[in-house]
C-alpha cells in the first residue's frame, strides 16, 4: 500500500486589499442587522432594497408594492444613525437600481446562524468527523424561544412598545394589518 501523503497547510498573510474586503463584508452584514432591527423590514424586503428606495435626506425607506407583504407601496421612517451609516456605506458609483445589500454581502440563513453563534446567542455542533457545513445550530434561549432573522423585526416592535409608543402607531410602523 502506498503511504498516504499528508497535505501540509501553508498559511499566508492577508494583504491590505484583502483585509479591506473582509472588514467591509463584516460591516455590511452588521448594517443589514442594524437596518432590520431599526426599521422592522422583513428579510425579503431588505434583500430587495435598492438605493432608489431610500431617501437618506428625508430619512425614509420606501417599500415598493412588489416587495411588500401587503402588495402595496409603503414607507418606513429611518433613524438618523441608520441614515448616516447607509450614507457612509453607499458606494460612490451606486445607481438607483442597485441593491443596497448585494447578494454577496446579504447573510444567508446559515450565515445568520453562524453570526448568532459568534455573538454568543446560541451554539453549533458538528458530528464527529463531519466537515464544516454540517453543523447543527441551537438558537433557542433558556425560555424556549427561537432566534431567527425575523426576531430582528420582533425586536423592532418590542422596542417601540418599551418606549411607550401607542399600539396603533407601532402597528403602523411595523406595517401590520392587525395589532
Amino acid at each position: 500500500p502506498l503511504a498516504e501523503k499528508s497535505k501540509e497547510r501553508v498559511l499566508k498573510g492577508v494583504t491590505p486589499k484583502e483585509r479591506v474586503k473582509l472588514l467591509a463584508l463584516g460591516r455590511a452584514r452588521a448594517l443589514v442587522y442594524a437596518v432590520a432591527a431599526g426599521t422592522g423590514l422583513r428579510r425579503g424586503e431588505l434583500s430587495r432594497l435598492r438605493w432608489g428606495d431610500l431617501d437618506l435626506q428625508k430619512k425614509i425607506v420606501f417599500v415598493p408594492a412588489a416587495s411588500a407583504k401587503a402588495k402595496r407601496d409603503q414607507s418606513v421612517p429611518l433613524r438618523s444613525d441608520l441614515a448616516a451609516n447607509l450614507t457612509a456605506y453607499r458606494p460612490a458609483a451606486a445607481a438607483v437600481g442597485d441593491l443596497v445589500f448585494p447578494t454577496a454581502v446579504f447573510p444567508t440563513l446559515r450565515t445568520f446562524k453562524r453570526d448568532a453563534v459568534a455573538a454568543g446567542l446560541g451554539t453549533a455542533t458538528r458530528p464527529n468527523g463531519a466537515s464544516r457545513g454540517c453543523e447543527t445550530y441551537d438558537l433557542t434561549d433558556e425560555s424556549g424561544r427561537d432566534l431567527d432573522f425575523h426576531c430582528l423585526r420582533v425586536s423592532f416592535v418590542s422596542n417601540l412598545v418599551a418606549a411607550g409608543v401607542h399600539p396603533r402607531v407601532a402597528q403602523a410602523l411595523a406595517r401590520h394589518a392587525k395589532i
Side-chain angles (χ1 to χ4, degrees):
L2 296 172
E4 286 189 36
K5 183 180 177 184
S6 64
K7 183 178 177 185
E8 189 175 319
R9 284 183 63 199
V10 178
L11 301 177
K12 70 174 200 119
V14 178
T15 67
K17 188 175 182 179
E18 291 168 334
R19 181 178 174 275
V20 167
K21 285 182 179 181
L22 283 170
L23 292 175
L25 180 61
R27 281 193 296 272
R29 283 210 319 260
L31 187 55
V32 168
Y33 300 145
V35 171
T39 62
L41 289 175
R42 296 172 177 91
R43 185 176 188 278
E45 294 167 344
L46 198 54
S47 71
R48 293 184 292 272
L49 188 66
R50 300 188 182 278
W51 287 110
D53 299 330
L54 297 173
D55 186 332
L56 297 173
Q57 297 296 321
K58 294 181 181 175
K59 300 178 183 78
I60 297 174
V61 178
F62 298 100
V63 183
S67 189
K69 182 179 177 182
K71 300 297 179 205
R72 58 185 162 84
D73 290 338
Q74 300 172 319
S75 63
V76 177
L78 189 61
R79 291 190 334 234
S80 296
D81 62 318
L82 294 176
N85 289 340
L86 285 163
T87 299
Y89 168 74
R90 183 179 181 152
V96 295
D98 292 347
L99 291 172
V100 174
F101 302 110
T103 306
V105 300
F106 197 86
T108 63
L109 295 176
R110 178 183 287 168
T111 301
F112 174 79
K113 290 176 181 181
R114 287 181 175 163
D115 287 346
V117 168
L121 305 177
T123 59
T125 55
R126 185 183 311 164
N128 287 340
S131 62
R132 182 173 161 88
C134 296
E135 300 90 353
T136 57
Y137 299 92
D138 181 5
L139 301 178
T140 305
D141 70 9
E142 57 281 345
S143 300
R145 297 174 300 177
D146 292 325
L147 175 71
D148 62 9
F149 196 91
H150 188 75
C151 290
L152 299 170
R153 181 171 164 78
V154 172
S155 295
F156 171 73
V157 175
S158 297
N159 290 337
L160 291 173
V161 172
V165 172
H166 190 278
R168 291 282 182 204
V169 174
Q171 175 189 1
L173 290 171
R175 297 167 295 117
H176 276 168
K178 301 177 191 172
I179 292 181

